[in-house]
Amino acid sequence: MGTQPARNGHNLIFLFVLCGLLFGYTCGWTPIVVKDIVQLGPQITPDVTRVSRDGGYSVLLSGQIIWLYDDTECLDRDGKQLSFVSNTAAYAKDANKNVSMLVDFGVEAVGKDKKTGQTNYAILADTTVATGGWISFSRDELEFNDKRKGVERVAIWPGTSPTPYSTSQALLFAPLVYVDNKPQDPSKEYQARGMTLISIAASSSGPRVDRQGDLVISGLQVAYGGFSSVLGYTSTASPQDLNDRDVYLFGMSQAGLQLARASVGQLTDFSKYSFWDPTQLGFSKNPPRLDEKDSKKVYLPGTFSSGSIFYSPYFNTFLMVYFNKYVDSTFRIRFLDLNTPVGDDPTWPKQGKRGKGIAPEDVEALVKYAWSPEQELYKSPPAKGGFNYAGMAHPEYFNRQYFAPSLYPKGTSASERRNQWYGSGLLLEKKAGGDGKHLLLSWTSQLRGGFGSGIYQVQLAKVEFDTIPDNPQGGFPGAAVSSSTPTLSLAPPAQAPSVTPAAPSGIHTFPSRPSSTALMSTGSAGRVAQQWWMPGPSLLVQCCGALVGVLVLLSDWVLGELVW
């Protein structure tokens, strides 16, 4: 018995070692480490007296950053409604100097304030929804809204950020929604009618939009494109013609994200779409059921309410930044893990396509590799009205490689395939540490909650990622840069050169709005985005074995102590 303490001491040391190994296995490796987060406050809209709107989606086109919004209500200083439309758009006023300032279009003078005598200004001064907004309604939608005024309406909400298909044009699948003003069943306040496809461009008079068909995707199908869309190479076609490119369309269902694929030239014909079938690791002509609950038949199981999927030149892979449905105001993030191939395709081994990483156009990688487990990125501060929603990422800021190289006009040299740096007022490019190391986030804050009486405001924050830690599996691969220069013809709106937007008539600066952006650091330096990882099957087996060993050693040590 005199040797018992030594034996137990050795077992305890061995126990700690195994616990450390187990922790290392179960937590896994992530390139995503948050160095700092700066809260920037609300977007600033000096052209209108007061505005309440939600959404906040964006795209860079022709040197202009276009912001899109869902329901938009303009108010006077006492909170009385001046106008209401289901969507609006604005330009960033000077995205390089101030990421928060906007220029609105369609602004009109709508009388004077009775108390102060100051002129009130509103966007599209129409107290009905009959004109729709920036995205116009079709004739039957106009007639429906006119007949059902005050009872029910059709709304067109952008819903997510547009996808560029050149440096001057973009596409967007926008949801058409029936909104019941007084629903007997609260769960039926919003009913999906389907998805409409729109094309977007920039002009001196403001953002231009054209609808490419009324109802492209029925409300009986998953709302493909409603979460995010990514454009890139097909698996077989030559990259010389952009009409041969594929668009990967992500839509939300009750069980997670579903994925459809279509050629750019066939986006308006839903019968030409194909749909990812996880059970076959391939695309099928049969769309999944809208109410599919079997996670084995879902592209990415989980819960999602809004988000962005985009290629990051800093991480050299695709990122997914999103809100889920837990109403906890928290941004989540995943990365496409190039060290976790799905299947055994020799073209897509570990480390990316042919082992050489992936380019922004390599969208096929989205079905050839697994997404990492979910990590917490940032918990945005909610306002008095309740939880935040419509969380989005905006990779056109702090990033000269927003556009895929192949989207530039033919003949553009490799050195010129870089967009302008946006956000110098917050961060000089020479101090940024590389394209995509910083990321702009937005969300809708409820200043006042309540159906029909809520006040909403889009808020901003900037995330700075830390240096990517070494990967014990062999490092995180770099991306191959494409030099192809395809062309496109998708019935787009008139192409416009890079312009400085002309100020609309009757511009008025509301004096109570802040004139500068307040900065508040969250003090999150060195924080790893929170992670609780489930490893792959082989690691899971190892972890279970290690856990059994730990339990055996622990019971042995406890019994030894009792005997001693």
Side-chain angles (χ1 to χ4, degrees):
M1 293 198 46
T3 59
Q4 185 72 22
R7 181 173 70 83
N8 281 341
H10 290 146
N11 284 351
L12 185 58
I13 292 172
F14 190 42
L15 173 65
F16 287 154
V17 171
L18 279 183
C19 283
L21 291 174
L22 178 61
F23 181 79
Y25 273 130
T26 56
C27 283
W29 174 85
T30 174
I32 299 171
V33 182
V34 176
K35 185 177 181 179
D36 190 35
I37 300 175
V38 178
Q39 188 179 327
L40 304 176
Q43 288 188 319
I44 302 170
T45 55
D47 303 335
V48 295
T49 302
R50 188 181 175 191
V51 65
S52 165
R53 58 187 171 192
D54 56 4
Y57 321 104
S58 66
V59 63
L60 169 62
L61 296 174
S62 300
Q64 298 289 350
I65 294 179
I66 303 172
W67 283 85
L68 314 180
Y69 303 93
D70 301 331
D71 281 349
T72 301
E73 182 179 22
C74 291
L75 309 166
D76 66 13
R77 292 164 180 79
D78 294 325
K80 182 182 177 181
Q81 185 185 91
L82 299 174
S83 68
F84 180 89
V85 289
S86 73
N87 58 79
T88 51
Y91 279 154
K93 187 170 185 177
D94 189 339
N96 196 32
K97 292 182 180 180
N98 190 329
V99 301
S100 302
M101 191 74 71
L102 299 174
V103 173
D104 278 295
F105 295 89
V107 176
E108 299 179 18
V110 287
K112 294 184 179 295
D113 187 282
K114 294 181 179 180
K115 295 181 180 178
T116 66
Q118 293 177 295
T119 302
N120 289 319
Y121 293 87
I123 304 168
L124 302 173
D126 182 356
T127 55
T128 75
V129 294
T131 57
W134 177 63
I135 306 171
S136 60
F137 285 142
S138 64
R139 178 174 296 179
D140 64 318
E141 292 161 353
L142 287 169
E143 291 176 353
F144 178 89
N145 280 347
D146 186 56
K147 292 179 181 178
R148 302 288 292 171
K149 189 180 301 182
V151 178
E152 188 178 19
R153 65 183 172 101
V154 173
I156 304 176
W157 295 332
T160 191
S161 291
T163 302
Y165 55 81
S166 73
T167 59
S168 60
Q169 298 156 344
L171 60 89
L172 173 68
F173 280 84
L176 293 162
V177 183
Y178 288 112
V179 182
D180 190 339
N181 287 358
K182 297 179 180 180
Q184 294 182 351
D185 181 353
S187 67
K188 296 181 178 180
E189 178 181 335
Y190 308 108
Q191 296 291 314
R193 180 170 182 255
M195 306 295 286
T196 186
L197 175 62
I198 67 172
S199 54
I200 302 169
S203 73
S204 59
S205 59
R208 288 178 51 92
V209 59
D210 284 325
R211 288 179 67 172
Q212 304 288 325
D214 179 15
L215 196 63
V216 176
I217 303 175
S218 164
L220 300 177
Q221 303 288 345
V222 172
Y224 293 106
F227 181 79
S228 191
S229 299
V230 185
L231 175 119
Y233 297 147
T234 67
S235 57
T236 58
S238 167
Q240 297 305 310
D241 185 357
L242 190 52
N243 285 302
D244 291 332
R245 294 298 180 87
D246 282 338
V247 181
Y248 280 54
L249 305 164
F250 298 86
M252 293 172 285
S253 70
Q254 293 180 358
L257 290 182
Q258 296 285 25
L259 172 63
R261 183 179 69 183
S263 170
V264 168
Q266 298 177 331
L267 285 175
T268 58
D269 187 351
F270 189 70
S271 69
K272 303 295 185 181
Y273 287 32
S274 56
F275 310 90
W276 181 250
D277 183 352
T279 64
Q280 302 296 323
L281 293 182
F283 283 93
S284 165
K285 295 304 294 183
N286 301 316
R289 298 198 321 267
L290 179 60
D291 60 351
E292 181 62 69
K293 297 178 181 176
D294 185 350
S295 62
K296 295 179 181 179
K297 298 180 180 180
V298 178
Y299 168 76
L300 182 60
T303 172
F304 304 87
S305 63
S306 64
S308 314
I309 298 175
F310 57 95
Y311 184 87
S312 167
Y314 184 68
F315 294 103
N316 292 322
T317 190
F318 288 97
L319 298 183
M320 181 187 301
V321 178
Y322 60 98
F323 271 12
N324 60 26
K325 295 180 180 178
Y326 293 149
V327 297
D328 60 1
S329 308
T330 300
F331 283 90
R332 268 81 178 181
I333 188 168
R334 299 174 188 250
F335 64 93
L336 194 68
D337 189 351
L338 304 188
N339 284 322
T340 311
V342 176
D344 55 0
D345 190 331
T347 304
W348 303 94
K350 284 188 176 182
Q351 307 278 317
K353 191 174 186 179
R354 300 185 180 89
K356 297 181 180 180
I358 59 174
E361 296 94 341
D362 288 328
V363 292
E364 194 178 2
L366 294 166
V367 296
K368 297 298 183 179
Y369 298 94
W371 286 100
S372 71
E374 183 177 88
Q375 300 173 240
E376 282 192 10
L377 178 63
Y378 171 53
K379 187 174 180 62
S380 60
K384 293 181 179 180
F387 61 88
N388 299 330
Y389 63 98
M392 299 294 296
H394 305 275
E396 65 271 24
Y397 289 88
F398 319 115
N399 177 17
R400 281 191 179 271
Q401 300 179 64
Y402 171 69
F403 294 112
S406 61
L407 296 187
Y408 284 86
K410 188 175 182 179
T412 304
S413 66
S415 62
E416 293 177 317
R417 291 178 187 173
R418 297 288 187 272
N419 53 269
Q420 181 181 336
W421 181 268
Y422 296 100
S424 291
L426 282 175
L427 178 69
L428 295 176
E429 182 180 3
K430 62 182 180 181
K431 295 183 178 181
D435 291 324
K437 189 174 187 290
H438 299 252
L439 182 64
L440 187 70
L441 302 178
S442 76
W443 64 93
T444 296
S445 177
Q446 300 187 74
L447 303 185
R448 186 178 72 199
F451 180 72
S453 60
I455 303 294
Y456 309 100
Q457 190 177 59
V458 175
Q459 301 270 343
L460 304 175
K462 181 179 73 67
V463 173
E464 178 183 2
F465 296 108
D466 211 337
T467 302
I468 299 174
D470 292 336
N471 185 352
Q473 296 189 49
F476 210 63
V481 177
S482 166
S483 60
S484 56
T485 54
T487 58
L488 172 75
S489 56
L490 173 68
Q495 182 174 343
S498 177
V499 295
T500 300
S505 60
I507 286 291
H508 174 74
T509 301
F510 185 40
S512 66
R513 301 294 294 177
S515 59
S516 62
T517 302
L519 306 182
M520 296 175 287
S521 175
T522 63
S524 56
R527 177 174 64 84
V528 177
Q530 293 184 21
Q531 50 175 327
W532 295 107
W533 288 43
M534 281 299 293
S538 61
L539 284 182
L540 188 60
V541 172
Q542 296 176 42
C543 290
C544 290
L547 181 58
V548 170
V550 168
L551 292 175
V552 170
L553 285 171
L554 181 60
S555 62
D556 179 55
W557 177 72
V558 171
L559 288 173
E561 285 296 309
L562 292 174
V563 172
W564 175 254

